[in-house]
Amino acid sequence: MSGFQIGKDIISYVALGDSFTEGLDDPHPDGGNLPQGRYRGWADRFAEHLAGHVGELRYANLAVRGKLLRQIFTEQLPRAVELRPDLVTLCAGGNDILRPGSDPDTLAEAFEAGVDRLRGAGADVVVFTGFDTGFQPVMKHLRGKVATYNMHLRAIADRHGCSVVDLWSMKVLQDRRAWSADRLHLSSEGHRRLALRVCEVLGVPVEGDWSEPWPQVPPLPWREARQEDLQWARQHLVPWIHRRLTGRSSGDGIRPKRPDLEPLG
């Protein structure tokens, strides 16, 4: 397990990853005063919780939407090593898994090399498994590949003394209210619950229960549900496929929202 301690006067924390860690689709409450497209997300929310228990938190978020594992490790990881943080959260490989022909065994080898560099720089590392996609009809076929990758990630975490946030076991996130309209990114409530889960893993005291059951609501009528499916396909699935076919990424031209270790606030 990680040796991370929250008792220090000053803690430095760097978040690495893709859209999941950048914070899509959790609009920042101060969005009117921030660059267009700025999101909050679980990492910002976790940093806010952590800041309440240390003298000073210095936080950088290098995550950028659409990034593949190799891009995270070539564009973000060297900067993280340079910053020499106390704590790094690392979620990488999800965009690779979505692509046909990707091999979870090969991805795991690259992932472990990245973890080894971060641990060698003195950082405590938190690793995230992938979600259980069995409840999502469009991505249900990826379930076996995600499960294989997850087993690798757990083994890597064991070998390198990392903490693990097991997204696969968070059944509370298998409710549609945990997801935004694109069905690929967490909603604001999903991000809030995940931040609480990260706090639990790292022993950061918080109020609130990430596993609290959702309020009961009746299921959508069949016709309304199919209309939502069609709208989702037009607004989100088709543009995503078009980007894949044209070799473009949602992260093209996007810079990290917090490139430097700075006090939170």
Side-chain angles (χ1 to χ4, degrees):
M1 291 295 292
S2 167
F4 177 70
Q5 300 284 334
I6 65 172
K8 290 185 176 182
D9 289 336
I10 299 175
I11 287 181
S12 54
Y13 162 43
V14 175
L16 305 179
D18 50 31
S19 58
F20 170 72
T21 303
E22 184 185 347
L24 278 67
D25 278 321
D26 181 17
H28 201 286
D30 296 327
N33 301 317
L34 295 169
Q36 186 176 10
R38 170 73 182 269
Y39 292 93
R40 189 182 185 188
W42 68 264
D44 283 19
R45 291 171 179 267
F46 164 67
E48 292 161 11
H49 289 303
L50 182 58
H53 299 281
V54 298
E56 180 180 311
L57 176 68
R58 297 172 181 170
Y59 168 48
N61 189 319
L62 308 181
V64 174
R65 67 198 72 172
K67 294 300 181 181
L68 300 171
L69 186 145
R70 61 174 175 78
Q71 294 172 313
I72 292 170
F73 285 167
T74 57
E75 299 170 10
Q76 300 175 27
L77 188 141
R79 176 58 175 158
V81 171
E82 179 185 352
L83 293 171
R84 301 192 69 84
D86 300 303
L87 176 68
V88 172
T89 53
L90 175 61
C91 185
N95 287 319
D96 300 80
I97 293 292
L98 289 173
R99 298 193 172 209
S102 61
D103 177 19
D105 299 334
T106 302
L107 290 174
E109 291 179 6
F111 191 98
E112 183 159 20
V115 169
D116 188 57
R117 286 190 62 188
L118 292 169
R119 293 293 281 147
D124 286 303
V125 179
V126 181
V127 172
F128 291 71
T129 69
F131 294 100
D132 183 352
T133 61
F135 73 101
Q136 295 178 323
V138 175
M139 292 194 290
K140 189 174 183 178
H141 68 287
L142 297 173
R143 194 170 190 242
K145 188 186 290 188
V146 174
T148 300
Y149 190 49
N150 284 352
M151 293 302 293
H152 280 302
L153 296 181
R154 283 192 164 277
I156 292 167
D158 285 344
R159 287 194 290 268
H160 294 271
C162 304
S163 296
V164 177
V165 177
D166 185 11
L167 301 178
W168 183 282
S169 68
M170 294 182 67
K171 301 302 183 185
V172 71
L173 298 182
Q174 295 184 9
D175 187 287
R176 63 187 180 88
R177 286 167 288 185
W179 298 87
S180 68
D182 70 3
R183 304 182 183 180
L184 188 61
H185 300 103
L186 291 175
S187 64
S188 292
E189 177 61 12
H191 280 286
R192 186 191 71 84
R193 288 174 181 258
L194 180 53
L196 293 176
R197 174 65 173 140
V198 178
C199 288
E200 179 181 82
V201 169
L202 290 178
V204 178
V206 289
E207 294 183 4
D209 179 6
W210 64 267
S211 62
E212 181 182 0
W214 295 88
Q216 290 291 326
V217 295
L220 286 177
W222 185 89
R223 184 179 298 275
E224 186 175 343
R226 300 294 76 74
Q227 289 175 342
E228 279 198 2
D229 290 342
L230 290 174
Q231 183 178 7
W232 167 78
R234 287 194 299 266
Q235 293 185 356
H236 302 287
L237 180 60
V238 172
W240 184 86
I241 293 174
H242 185 259
R243 287 198 301 271
R244 297 286 78 76
L245 294 175
T246 56
R248 295 184 297 113
S249 168
S250 58
D252 290 344
I254 303 294
R255 304 291 297 170
K257 64 181 182 180
R258 294 182 64 95
D260 302 306
L261 280 174
E262 296 178 336
L264 195 67

